[in-house]
Amino acid sequence: MEYINNTPSGVSGSGVVNKILCCECGVPIEPNATNMCVPCLRSHVDITENIPKQAVIFFCRNCERYLNPPSEWVQCSLESKELLSVCLKRLQGLRQVKLVDAGFVWTEPHSKRIKVKLTVHGEVMNDVVLQQVFVVEFTVNNQMCDDCHRTEAKDFWRCMVQVRQKAVNKKTLFYLEQMILKHKAHDNTLGIKPNPGGLDFYYATDAHARKMVDFLQAVLPVKVTSSKKLISHDIHSNSYNYKYSYAVDIVPISKGSLVCLNKRLTQQMGHIAPVCLVAKVANSIHLIDPQTAQLAEVQNMAFWKTPFEAICNPKQMVEFIVMDVEIMRESERKAFPGQGPVSMRHTLADVWVVKSSELGINDNTIHVKSHLGNLLKPGDSVLGYDLRDANVNNADFEKLNPDTVPDVLLVKKSYDKTVRKQNRNWKLKHLAEDVAVDTDIENEYNEFLEDLEEDPELRQNVNIFKDKNKQIPVDTNDMDDPSLPRITLEEMLDDLVLEDEEMGDG
């Protein structure tokens, strides 16, 4: 029998720690509140007795997500922090102890077993803190999530956003596709289905569909119509199950279209000429008068309040040959009170042109006032509208005085399409890669690519990628024409595709 001094905590007057014998096994230990050694204390007290050593987690094989109770499905990779958080939430007894450390114990990936090694602290008799390390084994059970279940039942969507444009030219839809890709507005979609007049986006929740509608309203002038359809109704809980649909109509005009404005609208926009060109379709409609280079902007609400249609579309443009160009002096430009802003990117000029089909047959030149004076020179080809032969069926156009309507309106300079297509060393991505494209849509898409090359402001909203499959030779046919619009390498992004690289290495 050993003596125990009354000095607190087993410390003698000389500072030496006195030891006692364990009341169970008799091993010398330092004094503590239980008078037991650690092995004996563990044999009597188990701080992990309320923590299950086996548990079950659920995994969806279709979408490869784990169930995070009560109803959330999260994407987790093996031995990740997200998966560890899901596993720890399945252990209810962890609230009674203090978790110090947690980590995975390696298991074979296809064993459907996940082992987690835990280190916990627990307080036992008379304020004694005991540390214990143990392993919890989780069994992975397969369970189909609600989204995949609806997909298998062909009832996978709850909300649909239908984007349509009733226009002859689809350049506005091509621009919208690139805006969606740049801002990743399609991340929450369950599926995207192309249609002849636009695109259909399918969503699982109404919030994601409304977010898409808000994005469309921010980037383009659109009109939104919503509707809902009753799928089921529970009379006992008074709950309803609806399917929502949003119809988004884009303005039926595109860049390069010729429009005719009514008298009231021309007065509101600085007395611009009634017949003007569409310079750009963004969050608003940008118009320009080719004869005075005056600009105007039509907002979304103003357009749908007094809508107007295109009297001529880009497909109706005729090619002309420039015979002579004379830049107009400042004194020749007639300004009037209340005139709207004038474009600083364009130069007014008197241009004399001849139709390409009549060159050498009819030498009657046509005098045109154009805003392309900084681009045109004698011998160039230019595209424009010949209103003398155009069949226009528009009430506002018929009210105009024929003497005030110009015979020809020039739209843009024409370049060799074959050379531009061969020397194009860049590409764009698409929402749906496996869509059959006919000849008309391909021509319209090439016109959209040409607009990107000619308009630097339009390229700011588009992600342009380098095309590694195309190599431009040094000696090209267009080197003699420095005015040919190009996209520099600084504006292009590297297209990184990890799957292709891994397949190539194999």
Side-chain angles (χ1 to χ4, degrees), residues 226-237:
S226 61
S227 62
K228 60 182 180 180
K229 179 182 178 181
L230 180 63
I231 304 300
S232 61
H233 169 48
D234 188 358
I235 60 175
H236 300 287
S237 61

Side-chain angles (χ1 to χ4, degrees), residues 258-262 274-275 311-312 387-388 390-402 405-406:
L258 189 67
V259 297
C260 182
L261 310 178
N262 55 34
V275 180
I311 59 176
C312 292
L387 297 180
R388 300 171 302 176
N391 184 12
V392 180
N393 185 13
N394 186 274
D396 295 326
F397 185 79
E398 294 174 356
K399 296 178 183 178
L400 299 178
N401 186 1
V405 178

Side-chain angles (χ1 to χ4, degrees), residues 325-372:
V325 179
E326 183 178 344
I327 303 298
M328 295 178 60
R329 296 188 296 269
E330 293 291 338
S331 58
E332 297 178 355
R333 302 179 182 179
K334 297 180 181 180
F336 52 86
Q339 184 181 15
V342 179
S343 174
M344 304 302 295
R345 296 174 51 191
H346 301 87
T347 303
L348 292 177
D350 291 319
V351 185
W352 286 265
V353 296
V354 176
K355 268 189 177 182
S356 298
S357 58
E358 299 178 357
L359 187 63
I361 301 175
N362 184 3
D363 295 334
N364 294 331
T365 59
I366 305 172
H367 173 252
V368 182
K369 288 184 178 180
S370 177
H371 62 301
L372 304 177

Side-chain angles (χ1 to χ4, degrees), residues 130-192:
L130 185 65
Q131 176 176 309
Q132 194 166 346
V133 180
F134 63 102
V135 176
V136 180
E137 181 178 342
F138 293 89
T139 303
V140 181
N141 288 351
N142 296 325
Q143 177 178 330
M144 186 178 292
C145 64
D146 295 338
D147 296 336
C148 295
H149 186 73
R150 285 195 294 267
T151 304
E152 291 293 330
K154 298 182 179 181
D155 186 23
F156 61 94
W157 61 273
R158 292 296 178 88
C159 300
M160 179 175 60
V161 179
Q162 295 178 325
V163 182
R164 296 290 185 271
Q165 185 187 28
K166 300 176 182 178
V168 178
N169 195 288
K170 297 183 180 299
K171 289 193 290 185
T172 306
L173 288 175
F174 295 142
Y175 172 74
L176 175 62
E177 180 186 26
Q178 299 303 318
M179 288 286 291
I180 293 175
L181 289 171
K182 182 179 180 64
H183 297 279
K184 297 181 180 180
H186 63 296
D187 287 347
N188 297 320
T189 56
L190 299 178
I192 301 175

